[in-house]
Amino acid sequence: MALIVQKFGGTSVGSVERIQAVAQRVYKTVKAGNSIVVVVSAMGKTTDGLVKLAKEISRNPNRREMDMLLSTGEQVTIALLTMALQELGQPAISMTGAQVGIVTEAEHSRARILHIETTRLTRNINEGKVVVVAGFQGTSSAKEMEITTLGRGGSDTSAVAIAAVLRASFCEIYTDVPGILTTDPRLVPEAQLMDAITCDEMLELASLGAKVLHPRAVEIARNYGVPLVVRSSWTDAPGTWVTSAKPQGRSLINLEIARPVDNVEFDTDQAKVALLRVPDKPGVAAKLFGEISRQKIDVDLIIQSINEGNSNDIAFTVRTPILKRAEAVAAAIAPALRSQSNPKLDEAEVMVEHNIAKVSIAGAGMIGRPGVAAKMFATLAAAGVNIQMISTSEVKVSCVVDAAECDRAVIALRTAFEIEAGEEGKRGQGGQGRIIEETPPVRGVALDLNQARLAIRQLPDRPGMAAKLFGLLAQHNISVDMIIQSQRCRVIDGVPRRDIAFTVSQLDGESAKEMLTQVAAEFGWGEVVLDSAIAKVSIVGAGMLGQPGVAAKMFEALAQQQINIQMIATSEIKISCVVAQEQGVKALQAIHTAFGLAGSEKFVVPA
């Protein structure tokens, strides 16, 4: 007999008829010999309606009272679903987050789960009852009994956390699509269904705006090895399994705030090639990386900084043994990238650095925690290590540093994040093994239209500046996504300076700009520039590792649509490009087509 946790979203329980259909599905699963815990969201648009009511009362409603208000939505659903199960003759009991024992931080509207008291939950399961739990909510402590909510996607988080503490056989997430698709079917109806996807790939897609699963739920599944399947509420189709490696032994105390970093990795077998002053126009990246692909040169990190005037810098890292080939390609193509209007002034320059190393922190506990990257930068600064390049993803932050400083950086990071000796990545292996060629290079394409870009001009290029900048953002609870440090260095008043750009949520854009502008003079940096009219389009796939040409195909797809790339950032399993906001949907569709991800069947998302 299996213990299964089933979660049903707002669309799935949006009417009495749909609640009765869910009850029938749950009843059928119980009759097959299983024990069931059901986690539900508020019905349909209930939460939106409650938020609207609050806004009619107050322009800036108190967060505690908002939690009190919003938690009522799920309570309606659990009572109605329990009644529906009882009408079928199935013993069932409804429980709020507090009653089920979900204890969270005392942080209204965005609390994280600390632990779950399972005594009452287990007793009711053992009595043969279906326990119907209100998702999205918990309580700050048994003493205070403050109702808290978990933020957007909180019911997913509740379900997977309950599955983790009960050591459930698996957790089923029921939604309005048949599983996890290669992209948003609302934008590309021909999106294909995936049979399976890894937790790391799903973390990237979920964090990039794919709304089927919330990143925090995937994070818990990855950390605790919870088998997870996403299925349609309307059919019996098998859905998509989200798979994870065997988890490390983790305590179920401080469930969502335990150690965010699992590993420190490093690779000293790296070199960097940078092209400075390439024209800021469509097709430049496609031309460069198309030639790199034709020469079978496998590139690791790629970054393109924000434009300065009419030009950009593009830099990439390669393994040391193929540096000469990469350098030759860059030197040969540089003249072809020269601006036609003023070729002497704007000729692209190739810059090569041999003695570099890549140092990374890895772990699924970084999501939505602005302090993790800031702590890494502060640790490197305290060790006197200057950062030359930065690459970020949901499960890894990588910094390129001088090779002579690699050992010092690794020791400092291992101490700061409490990583045992021997846990860190092997020298020269880059943290991951090669993926077999049969693995599809790209699993999904995602579009995020809710980001803004901040750029700080003329940041002093010395240890500690990134730590100060991102430490300030962390203090104000502002999460940062892409981080790009320009390769072009200017000496002003005897101080070498670079530009740095990063993306944040649009909701945080104005406040971040205001805060950073206020301290600009104190920290010695220049103008702070905000652009809210951007879109980030990304490809994700564990199979792109060791397969030259993936980046080139993405860039070429954008070039063919005359879409200019404003920024590029990569990790081992993700490539992201910032483009103009009005071109975001066209960019997504072009890339999805380029990688042959479309299927013959069209998915219609239920209203």
Side-chain angles (χ1 to χ4, degrees):
M1 182 175 73
L3 171 58
I4 303 169
V5 176
Q6 296 182 332
K7 180 263 176 178
F8 294 89
T11 307
S12 304
V13 292
S15 65
V16 167
E17 292 75 21
R18 289 184 177 182
I19 288 173
Q20 289 171 329
V22 167
Q24 289 283 358
R25 185 184 286 272
V26 173
Y27 182 66
K28 180 180 176 182
T29 308
V30 173
K31 290 305 174 187
N34 303 295
S35 296
I36 305 293
V37 175
V38 182
V39 178
V40 292
S41 301
M43 294 175 64
K45 301 292 185 182
T46 298
T47 302
D48 292 342
L50 293 172
V51 170
K52 186 169 181 270
L53 284 173
K55 293 291 185 181
E56 290 175 5
I57 297 289
S58 169
R59 291 179 61 187
N60 187 25
N62 178 276
R63 281 168 52 191
R64 179 191 184 276
E65 301 312 323
M66 283 300 292
D67 276 3
M68 188 68 75
L69 174 67
L70 297 182
S71 64
T72 63
E74 280 72 20
Q75 291 180 50
V76 172
T77 315
I78 59 173
L80 292 175
L81 179 56
T82 301
M83 292 174 193
L85 285 164
Q86 291 169 347
E87 284 296 304
L88 295 173
Q90 172 59 47
I93 183 171
S94 63
M95 290 189 190
T96 65
Q99 288 173 322
V100 87
I102 298 176
V103 180
T104 74
E105 301 169 302
E107 185 73 44
H108 289 292
S109 80
R110 54 179 179 229
R112 289 181 177 271
I113 297 172
L114 300 179
H115 62 277
I116 301 177
E117 303 282 356
T118 59
T119 305
R120 186 175 182 186
L121 185 59
T122 304
R123 184 177 73 245
N124 280 281
I125 293 169
N126 291 339
E127 290 172 358
K129 296 175 184 173
V130 171
V131 182
V132 184
V133 179
F136 175 67
Q137 61 181 246
T139 182
S140 61
S141 70
K143 182 179 178 182
E144 295 293 333
M145 291 300 289
E146 284 289 306
I147 292 175
T148 55
T149 64
L150 309 182
R152 188 178 70 83
S155 293
D156 286 355
T157 306
S158 301
V160 181
I162 289 170
V165 298
L166 292 177
R167 293 180 169 81
S169 302
F170 53 89
C171 179
E172 296 178 318
I173 305 290
Y174 285 93
T175 183
D176 53 4
V177 290
I180 299 164
L181 303 170
T182 50
T183 196
D184 186 344
R186 297 167 183 84
L187 301 177
V188 183
E190 300 83 10
Q192 287 189 76
L193 179 67
M194 297 183 236
D195 294 331
I197 188 171
T198 67
C199 267
D200 282 357
E201 290 171 321
M202 192 64 236
L203 272 171
E204 298 286 6
L205 286 172
S207 302
L208 292 166
K211 298 177 179 64
V212 178
L213 275 174
H214 194 272
R216 283 169 60 185
V218 186
E219 173 188 5
I220 296 168
R222 180 189 190 269
N223 286 341
Y224 292 94
V226 177
L228 194 57
V229 60
V230 179
R231 303 180 64 187
S232 170
S233 298
W234 325 113
T235 72
D236 291 323
T240 305
W241 284 92
V242 182
T243 62
S244 56
K246 186 176 180 181
Q248 300 175 7
R250 277 182 175 261
S251 170
L252 291 166
I253 303 300
N254 292 331
L255 191 143
E256 277 202 277
I257 64 168
R259 192 170 84 173
V261 174
D262 294 328
N263 206 356
V264 174
E265 301 169 357
F266 61 95
D267 185 354
T268 54
D269 193 16
Q270 293 248 324
K272 178 175 72 175
V273 179
L275 277 83
L276 309 185
R277 296 183 295 280
V278 298
D280 181 30
K281 64 181 183 182
V284 170
K287 188 176 292 185
L288 170 62
F289 288 97
E291 186 58 35
I292 286 172
S293 171
R294 282 187 285 276
Q295 298 299 323
K296 304 296 184 186
I297 296 170
D298 189 16
V299 171
D300 186 2
L301 301 181
I302 303 171
I303 66 164
Q304 177 184 304
S305 61
I306 54 168
N307 67 310
E308 183 175 335
N310 295 316
S311 66
N312 284 358
D313 303 335
I314 299 179
F316 57 92
T317 61
V318 294
R319 314 288 289 182
T320 303
I322 60 173
L323 173 61
K324 289 294 184 185
R325 286 165 53 205
E327 185 179 355
V329 169
I333 205 168
L337 301 179
R338 164 185 318 172
S339 170
Q340 298 304 309
S341 59
N342 196 339
K344 293 295 182 187
L345 180 64
D346 293 327
E347 183 173 358
E349 174 190 350
V350 178
M351 182 175 70
V352 177
E353 291 191 40
H354 297 260
N355 298 315
I356 64 166
K358 183 175 71 171
V359 181
S360 309
I361 55 172
M366 304 182 193
I367 298 166
R369 300 190 207 184
V372 176
K375 183 176 180 179
M376 179 185 192
F377 303 151
T379 300
L380 294 177
V385 176
N386 197 35
I387 299 170
Q388 300 179 26
M389 293 172 72
I390 299 169
S391 171
T392 58
S393 78
E394 288 309 311
V395 294
K396 186 174 288 190
V397 180
S398 298
C399 293
V400 170
V401 302
D402 191 287
E405 298 176 336
C406 179
D407 288 348
R408 190 161 78 249
V410 169
I411 291 168
L413 290 171
R414 194 171 65 203
T415 300
F417 289 103
E418 300 177 2
I419 304 298
E420 297 284 334
E423 286 184 64
E424 76 276 11
K426 297 292 188 291
R427 179 183 302 274
Q429 291 192 356
Q432 287 197 41
R434 291 299 186 209
I435 305 296
I436 57 173
E437 289 192 7
E438 289 78 10
T439 305
V442 175
R443 306 301 312 283
V445 187
L447 176 66
D448 191 342
L449 294 169
N450 299 309
Q451 293 211 340
R453 179 180 62 214
L454 283 152
I456 300 179
R457 301 291 187 180
Q458 299 174 11
L459 197 79
D461 184 28
R462 58 173 178 253
M465 291 312 298
K468 285 181 180 177
L469 169 58
F470 295 104
L472 273 172
L473 293 166
Q475 288 171 25
H476 288 78
N477 204 33
I478 296 173
S479 292
V480 175
D481 186 13
M482 294 172 70
I483 302 173
I484 306 290
Q485 183 172 270
S486 71
Q487 296 303 295
R488 209 176 310 183
C489 187
R490 296 184 180 279
V491 178
I492 301 174
D493 297 329
V495 178
R497 296 174 180 272
R498 299 181 192 271
D499 296 341
I500 194 165
F502 52 92
T503 58
V504 298
S505 165
Q506 282 181 353
L507 296 174
D508 292 327
E510 288 289 350
S511 58
K513 179 187 176 183
E514 183 179 343
M515 182 265 293
L516 294 173
T517 300
Q518 288 174 355
V519 300
E522 178 186 349
F523 290 113
W525 57 57
E527 183 184 12
V528 180
V529 182
L530 173 67
D531 183 358
S532 297
I534 64 165
K536 185 179 73 172
V537 63
S538 308
I539 58 174
V540 173
M544 68 174 68
L545 205 64
Q547 292 200 27
V550 176
K553 183 179 284 191
M554 179 183 189
F555 303 154
E556 179 60 31
L558 296 176
Q560 287 177 0
Q561 298 296 319
Q562 288 297 300
I563 296 172
N564 194 36
I565 300 172
Q566 300 179 17
M567 292 168 66
I568 301 170
T570 69
S571 69
E572 280 93 340
I573 66 169
K574 178 182 73 175
I575 302 173
S576 295
C577 295
V578 168
V579 300
Q581 191 174 63
E582 69 269 14
Q583 295 182 310
V585 173
K586 185 165 73 169
L588 171 81
Q589 293 167 340
I591 294 167
H592 192 268
T593 300
F595 284 98
L597 297 178
S600 56
E601 182 181 355
K602 290 189 176 183
F603 289 108
V604 178
V605 181

